């Protein structure tokens, strides 16, 4: 396998690049660097198989064409992921997540490439129990709607053109290299706030729950999804355990008493409960999460602590 990772300098993308290199796969990253942490790919320079960074946007067919040179598999992670920003200005999310994905699909079809499309649990309605891949989809924001539209485009390309694609829906991913200033970065935001000795702000009553998945587990599942057994399938990556935002804040605060509730900035886009089932990924890929939340939080705290000392 030789691979392109779109969004490869981003939070999850740079872990996917690392996972591929660890498996001996030649890999190139494509990223416009608009949301990447500085130096996110520096550790890979000089590693065998690392084909470097193509700086560009997936909405630009020329940049995408350059990135795809010499590869046979695409892991498509490039996206606009800010839920709140999509509520206040939907066009950016739709352009990146729909038009960008359409360009990737068309390029993959033309070159007969294997495609793993990384979607999100946000396409689902609030959970009554563990959400599997047959669960009702009910996007609560333009971001989520744009990601579901991308999923539907990929499914249409498989039916119409025989594109060998797999859709992966990770639940709430956290870990080193996450940015705390972006939507979905509640763990990063809480940890950075805690390390600075400031008060953690919980949006709303904090009763909303999330299925928190450590980024290394997410990356391994995404790479596993390139297996032939997963062609044409949609796969959740989840732990099957839910934690409320209020509980998360208490874990990170560690009894310091620096937690307070604040009004939710966009309550209309809030989903009350996310809890995933990864039974299909276990069956098809023998994938399962290995890092429990306490260990993942400790490892992420250590990374942010080291970052603050640089």
């Amino acid at each position: 396998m030789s691979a392109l990772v779109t969004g490869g300098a981003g939070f999850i993308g740079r872990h996917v690049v690392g996972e591929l290199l660890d498996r001996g796969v030649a890999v190139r990253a494509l990223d416009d660097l608009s949301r990447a942490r500085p130096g996110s790919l520096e550790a890979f320079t000089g590693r065998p198989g690392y084909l470097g960074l193509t700086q560009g946007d997936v909405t630009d067919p020329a940049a995408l064409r350059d990135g795809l040179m010499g590869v046979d598999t695409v892991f498509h992670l490039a996206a606009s992921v800010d839920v709140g920003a999509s509520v206040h200005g939907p066009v950016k999310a739709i352009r990146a997540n729909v038009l960008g994905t359409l360009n990737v699909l068309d390029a993959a079809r033309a070159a007969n490439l294997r495609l793993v499309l990384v979607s999100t649990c946000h396409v689902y309605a609030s959970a009554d129990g563990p959400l599997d891949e047959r669960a009702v989809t009910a996007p609560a924001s333009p971001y989520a709607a744009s990601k579901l539209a991308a999923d539907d485009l990929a499914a249409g390309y498989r039916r119409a053109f025989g594109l060998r694609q797999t859709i992966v829906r990770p639940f709430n991913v956290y870990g080193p290299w996450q940015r705390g200033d972006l939507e979905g970065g509640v763990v990063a935001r809480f940890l950075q706030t805690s390390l600075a000795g400031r008060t953690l702000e919980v949006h709303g009553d904090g009763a909303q729950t999330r299925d928190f998945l450590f980024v290394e587990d997410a990356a391994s599942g995404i790479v596993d999804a390139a297996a032939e057994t997963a062609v044409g399938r949609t796969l959740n990556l989840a732990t099957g355990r839910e934690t409320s935002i209020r509980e998360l804040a208490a874990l990170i605060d560690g009894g310091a008493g620096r937690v307070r509730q604040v009004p939710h900035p966009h309550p209309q886009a809030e989903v009350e409960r996310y809890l995933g089932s990864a039974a299909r990924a276990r069956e098809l890929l023998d994938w399962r999460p290995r890092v429990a939340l306490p260990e993942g939080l400790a490892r992420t705290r250590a990374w942010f602590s080291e970052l603050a000392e640089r």
Side-chain angles (χ1 to χ4, degrees):
M1 181 197 298
S2 56
L4 174 71
V5 180
T6 73
F11 164 47
I12 301 176
R14 66 92 55 200
H15 286 276
V16 172
V17 170
E19 180 73 17
L20 287 163
L21 289 172
D22 287 346
R23 298 190 191 192
V25 176
V27 56
R28 179 183 297 116
L30 171 67
D31 203 295
D32 66 4
L33 302 182
S34 62
R35 287 304 202 180
R37 278 188 174 275
S40 65
L41 297 172
E42 285 179 1
F44 305 133
T45 301
R47 283 192 59 175
Y50 181 55
L51 304 177
L53 168 71
T54 296
Q55 187 170 347
D57 189 321
V58 290
T59 61
D60 176 3
L64 186 58
R65 187 165 54 249
D66 290 343
L68 288 170
M69 289 180 60
V71 307
D72 54 45
T73 303
V74 185
F75 295 88
H76 178 41
L77 291 91
S80 175
V81 300
D82 192 328
V83 174
S86 81
V87 172
H88 299 297
V91 173
K92 180 179 178 181
I94 292 167
R95 178 178 178 272
N97 301 342
V98 180
L99 178 58
T101 299
L102 178 61
N103 285 344
V104 171
L105 289 168
D106 224 34
R109 176 186 67 85
N112 192 30
L113 304 178
R114 178 77 170 91
L115 173 69
V116 176
L117 171 65
V118 179
S119 181
T120 174
C121 66
H122 285 265
V123 302
Y124 293 122
S126 183
D128 292 323
L131 295 163
D132 65 18
E133 295 82 359
R134 297 165 295 181
V136 172
T137 54
S141 66
Y143 159 72
S146 69
K147 294 294 284 184
L148 184 58
D151 292 358
D152 286 343
L153 278 170
Y157 266 64
R158 170 157 177 80
R159 288 190 289 267
F161 307 118
L163 181 67
R164 296 166 53 248
Q165 55 86 0
T166 301
I167 297 167
V168 180
R169 291 174 177 164
F171 276 63
N172 300 89
V173 182
Y174 72 98
W177 293 96
Q178 189 171 32
R179 288 179 55 159
D181 59 338
L182 299 180
E183 277 297 326
V186 63
V187 171
R189 188 169 69 249
F190 280 177
L191 283 170
Q192 288 179 298
T193 301
S194 175
L195 286 166
R198 300 195 304 271
T199 298
L200 279 63
E201 294 187 342
V202 173
H203 294 165
D205 63 8
Q208 61 270 39
T209 68
R210 298 293 182 260
D211 186 331
F212 290 107
L213 178 66
F214 192 59
V215 66
E216 290 178 8
D217 287 329
S220 69
I222 290 166
V223 174
D224 287 347
E228 289 302 307
T229 54
V231 170
R233 309 303 294 269
T234 297
L235 304 173
N236 288 343
L237 300 178
T239 69
R241 296 177 181 272
E242 58 186 328
T243 303
S244 74
I245 302 303
R246 190 166 54 225
E247 291 168 338
L248 177 70
L251 279 171
I252 291 174
D253 181 58
R258 292 193 298 263
V259 178
R260 70 185 178 104
Q261 293 175 209
V262 298
H264 202 299
H266 44 80
Q268 72 275 27
E270 184 62 273
V271 176
E272 286 304 310
R273 188 181 181 202
Y274 278 131
L275 173 63
S277 167
R280 183 179 289 176
R282 285 195 300 273
E283 175 189 353
L284 296 179
L285 306 176
D286 195 29
W287 176 89
R288 51 185 46 79
R290 302 188 182 280
V291 179
L293 184 60
E295 178 188 348
L297 290 177
R299 290 171 60 179
T300 309
R301 178 185 285 273
W303 185 85
F304 276 111
S305 181
E306 181 182 344
L307 182 69
E309 292 171 0
R310 292 175 188 168

